[in-house]
Amino acid sequence: MFRRSKPLMRRRVLAGDQRQHDQERVSLARQDGRRFYITWLVLGPGILAMLGENDGPSMLSYAADGTQYGIGFFLPFIVVLFVLAYVCQEMSMRVGAATGHGFGYLLTRRYGKTWGWFGAIDLILTNLVTLVSEFIAIRIGFTYFHLPAGAAAASGVALVVFTLVGRRYRGWERIVLGLALFNGLFLLTAILTKPDGASLAHAFVTWSPLPTGSIVTLLLLVTSTIGATVTPWMVFFQQSATADKGMTARDVNQGRLDTAIGAALAAVFGCAALIVGASIASRAHSHIDLSALNFPAAIAAHSGQVAGMLFAIGLIEAGAVALLTISASTAYAIGETLGRSGTMNIAGRQGFVFYAVNTAAVTGAASIILIPGVPLIAIALNANVLATVLLPVTLIFLVMLANDRHLMGSLTNNRSTNIAAGIVIVLIGACATAYTVTAFLQTFHALPGS
């Protein structure tokens, strides 16, 4: 039988006051039959994981898809990807609720420190690059309002520190949820660009016209789009946040609803960013040069200042929410792998590792965008590619945990979930491999003398 370690038990005792209070309210709500109240208490981790993944580089990636290839293939593709994202995140939520532990802790305890640290280092690498790309998105938004890069870096770090001051998961969660609602600005921007409704319906029904052109560019955008939808940090974050929130096996149905709402909202807003890119490119009769960091300005030129302003604010919001959730996933992972404080519900010296890692992650990423000559857009788009390449290993371990009856009991994966998860892993692995091999071969043929 699986046993909790003493360090984790001490952590959970210290976190007990807030969690006990929340669980008492959930218990009271169950006794009174107030289902809506239970759902309201449970909402959070799933929505934050999904909307946190609708981050700055993801929205730029969707917009780049639209400018390059229009909506024909990528509009329904984004919807399908978020259905697959739901499969992964539902498993993550269910494992967290069934065990009361985060992904990093379970990985270390069930499969050894080597795999635990492999998962943590894998996450740190992808998160560092992704955090840099979030600051890039914030910087692009700030540039539209003629604010310097230093202001973007400082405001991002200040936001993360501010949300951690309360040292309670619930307070942190509600602040981030409030910010995440502004992801809807991308939908408002899409409406202002006045897309053709018939073209949208045609794309969903026929998945056409199919993209043409350079195979490497296409694979880059497909792989980047996958990485804009499902990433390793989402698994770490939602499972740990589910445990930190105090959710149990009785809350799984509400957790599924939370995750489904997040997936639906993220799909709508992600499609909106794609539509914005396609609409602007069709009006400009040429592809928009993203390397000039001028996307909001291009939107303003073709759809008005309000549309450009909304997109710029949306990029700032998307980057800010991702900074908060991704830095938290890093802190959760390292704390859990060390067997230390993988929780926000802790104060003083006991919580030093969690808060130090959280703050250090965003501070290090912020400093990188201030380096002159850094290829900002290349980092932003390739951050998603890196996440896609490293994701299959995380998903394989997640499926193994979700099928472990010693951990999950009656909440183990059913056959359909395992089939769906297998499809996700194969699809992601195939796209990542195809892009890597194709890009390598193209680089090889481009070498002098080849």
Side-chain angles (χ1 to χ4, degrees), residues 103-387:
F103 184 79
Y105 180 83
L106 291 180
L107 188 60
T108 302
R109 293 287 291 174
R110 297 302 282 180
Y111 305 111
K113 290 184 178 181
T114 299
W115 284 114
W117 278 109
F118 176 84
I121 293 171
D122 178 343
L123 184 74
I124 291 168
L125 285 175
T126 56
N127 280 6
L128 178 59
V129 176
T130 307
L131 285 171
V132 172
S133 68
E134 306 309 339
F135 277 107
I136 292 170
I138 296 173
R139 177 177 172 177
I140 293 172
F142 271 45
T143 299
Y144 181 81
F145 297 105
H146 308 291
L147 296 172
S155 62
V157 174
L159 177 64
V160 171
V161 173
F162 170 76
T163 57
L164 293 174
V165 169
R167 295 179 178 177
R168 286 290 183 268
Y169 172 81
R170 179 164 293 279
W172 177 91
E173 178 190 78
R174 297 301 157 172
I175 292 173
V176 186
L177 275 175
L179 288 173
L181 294 177
F182 287 93
N183 212 244
L185 292 176
F186 292 102
L187 179 59
L188 294 179
T189 307
I191 293 172
L192 290 175
T193 62
K194 299 179 180 179
D196 179 26
S199 298
L200 299 181
H202 182 267
F204 275 116
V205 173
T206 66
W207 284 58
S208 64
L210 294 174
T212 58
S214 168
I215 185 63
V216 175
T217 302
L218 176 59
L219 284 172
L220 170 63
L221 290 177
V222 169
T223 307
S224 181
T225 303
I226 294 174
T229 311
V230 190
T231 56
W233 78 260
M234 294 170 68
V235 173
F236 277 83
F237 172 79
Q238 186 165 356
Q239 186 171 326
S240 296
T242 296
D244 213 1
K245 192 179 179 77
M247 292 172 60
T248 67
R250 295 179 300 176
D251 303 310
V252 165
N253 287 335
Q254 285 78 17
R256 286 173 176 148
L257 177 61
D258 172 42
T259 306
I261 291 173
L265 290 175
V268 170
F269 301 153
C271 287
L274 175 83
I275 292 168
V276 169
S279 297
I280 298 306
S282 64
R283 291 189 182 189
H285 303 292
S286 63
H287 296 314
I288 295 173
D289 181 14
L290 287 176
S291 64
L293 306 180
N294 68 341
F295 205 92
I299 294 171
H302 293 280
S303 297
Q305 292 294 328
V306 173
M309 178 184 67
L310 290 178
F311 195 89
I313 296 174
L315 286 178
I316 295 170
E317 170 277 333
V321 171
L323 283 181
L324 295 166
T325 51
I326 294 173
S327 62
S329 74
T330 307
Y332 276 134
I334 293 180
E336 290 164 357
T337 304
L338 288 171
R340 300 285 294 280
S341 53
T343 177
M344 293 187 192
N345 295 314
I346 197 167
R349 295 175 60 185
Q350 293 291 335
F352 175 78
V353 172
F354 183 89
Y355 293 108
V357 170
N358 208 319
T359 305
V362 292
T363 302
S367 63
I368 292 176
I369 71 164
L370 301 178
I371 300 174
V374 172
L376 300 182
I377 292 299
I379 293 176
L381 293 179
N382 283 284
N384 290 330
V385 175
L386 178 62

